[in-house]
Amino acid sequence: MSTQGEANLPVRLKEEPATETGAPSKNALKKAAKEKEKAEKAAKRLAEEEAAKVKADANDTSKHLYGPLLTSSPRLTKNFCPSLKDLEGSSESEEVTVQARVYNARVQSAKLAFLVLREQEHTIQVVIAEGGQHGISRQMVKFCGGINTESYVRVTGQVKPPKEPVHSTTISNLELHVESLYVISSAEEQLPLQVKDCLKPPSTKEEGDQDATSTDTNDPNSSLKTRLDSKVLATRAPATNAIFQLQSEICAIFSAYMISHNFTMIQPSYLAGAATEGGSGVFEVAYFDRKAYLTQSPQFFKQMAIAGDLGPVYSIGPVFRAENSNTKRHLTEFTGLDFEMPIREHYHEVLSFGEDLMLHLLHQLATNTKCQYLTTIIRNAGYPDAGTFKLPSAAKEGDAPPKATRITFAEAKTLLKESGYDIGPDPHADIDTAQEKALGELVAAKYGTDFFTVDQYPLSLRPFYTHPSPSDPSLSNSYDFFMRGQEIMSGAQRIHELPMLREMMRSKGVDPDDPGFKDYEDAFRYGCPMHGGGGLGLNRILQFWLGLNNIREATLFPRDPVRLGP
């Protein structure tokens, strides 16, 4: 049983050698005294530091000018500047308030710190100096210089010209001298990805590989996989941000063109009771007590809208393909720019409309001020093919707008054969991916354009709702659109007569009596105009316009066989 004195000794003293009487040795007592003295000094030092901090805080003359911005704080919107870019129009010494991210923060000295604020592609230097009109304290200088990068802040200050241009920021002729700074949202100190590591394109791999070669998150040029895993951070890089702004412009141009041609926008369902294409490449979902499928296209709904006398229609929405393909141009979900229109006499009315639509879209991408600006940001970030897309041009000033280059499927195969490509003995065999790319190079060399269309595909290569060619039953009234030798759209005249449709379904191995097709078939039982259309792939248009290596770079939240997040 321990004595009272033993119980009060540190545990480790029980391991020290004891005297014959059982009392602690002199060495043990001496060591315990030193430990006690050390602990007392540490406690005293901590108390002194805490007291000094309390005193400093009490003497901090600018503590009301910085810190976290609480929801109950008064609104500080005096001369609020909605964009950093708008600062370029500010007058000297004008007081403004901005909200942006901290791209870089550093303390120069106890009296001076610098921040770089970033908003999309725009950056500006911020100066925090002790003293001044508002009495900036050293505590405020230290706080501002220690803010974690990517934190979101509100800054009020005076706009002034720097002594020398700030070449490290996009706004080089102005800087912001802080009067107050509040942290709206603080980013963590350790981030999975640094925005500065996404300023250049990810490195590339061979065709069929999803990700870039590097998986090291410390690589200054981070991999595609790392960027996809941390998409929110990666999207903050100026070029990546500009890519998705440009994607928005494509949708706006497409929609404006359709509206100007009296198309009605529809919102099709993306759930169906049967597989649209009648194949296995669909995602099956549980729908209460029965099966449903994510649509492979809005095809059925566009056709039913035509039968409902809505006239020409278009839609912008998701398309789902359950294909286990991991190439650089395939996704399991992408965005379709779809249209469908009645035919008066010949399906080339639809083909010509689609060609004119694409030429208009591509011309706008090449000449629209905002599109040019965004493309320049992307090109300057290391994407050399951005803005180099070849378009057909008019012979001379004042001529009618140029038409798209159009060849038949048979002519495409002849071009390939004459250039030494083995196309095989079957004239109806499909053109593979490598041959499509080669065809793009051949057309660009011969016709001076990176956009072209291929008409009259073999019927065996098209879905069951494709109208056969009246002149040759082995062919179809169908077409594909290409950019840089890669397909961006499939389209066709659709079958509008029910007996022919049911016969074609049987020939393609699709059961026309499947209950999932009933509503679709009813559209033709009630009478339907001749019609046709197509579906453009938004992500591919953006990919091939900019010359991106991988379609995932042109997709905000890509989905493929191995990726279901973020």
Side-chain angles (χ1 to χ4, degrees), residues 138-154:
R138 292 193 177 191
Q139 292 95 326
M140 182 172 175
V141 173
K142 182 179 179 181
F143 173 84
C144 294
I147 296 174
N148 293 339
T149 58
E150 297 306 310
S151 295
Y152 201 72
V153 298
R154 173 187 288 177

Side-chain angles (χ1 to χ4, degrees), residues 42 118 126 151 171 348:
R118 186 194 73 244
V126 174
S151 295
I171 302 174
H348 278 176

Side-chain angles (χ1 to χ4, degrees), residues 416 421 432-444 484-485:
L416 290 167
Y421 288 89
D432 62 30
T433 301
Q435 291 171 343
E436 285 182 351
K437 291 181 179 179
L439 184 62
E441 295 174 358
L442 294 171
V443 170
R484 299 188 195 262

Side-chain angles (χ1 to χ4, degrees), residues 152-170:
Y152 201 72
V153 298
R154 173 187 288 177
V155 178
T156 298
Q158 287 189 352
V159 178
K160 295 183 180 182
K163 293 181 181 179
E164 296 181 359
V166 184
H167 297 298
S168 60
T169 59
T170 62

Side-chain angles (χ1 to χ4, degrees), residues 295-356:
T295 54
Q296 293 168 293
S297 78
Q299 186 58 50
F300 286 7
F301 302 104
K302 291 189 301 176
Q303 291 185 260
M304 287 189 280
I306 293 290
D309 289 345
L310 281 176
V313 296
Y314 78 100
S315 69
I316 301 176
V319 176
F320 302 94
R321 301 286 169 89
E323 299 172 353
N324 192 14
S325 180
N326 290 283
T327 75
K328 296 180 180 181
R329 64 174 190 165
H330 285 92
L331 296 168
T332 55
E333 178 190 7
F334 61 90
T335 301
L337 307 178
D338 278 85
F339 67 92
E340 204 78 15
M341 57 187 283
I343 295 171
R344 293 184 177 86
E345 295 181 0
H346 196 276
Y347 83 97
H348 278 176
E349 298 166 22
V350 186
L351 175 53
S352 295
F353 175 84
E355 290 171 335
D356 292 345

Side-chain angles (χ1 to χ4, degrees), residues 274-282 296 300 464 508-510 517:
T276 311
E277 308 286 355
S280 59
V282 291
Q296 293 168 293
F300 286 7
F464 66 78
K508 295 283 187 178
V510 179
F517 292 114

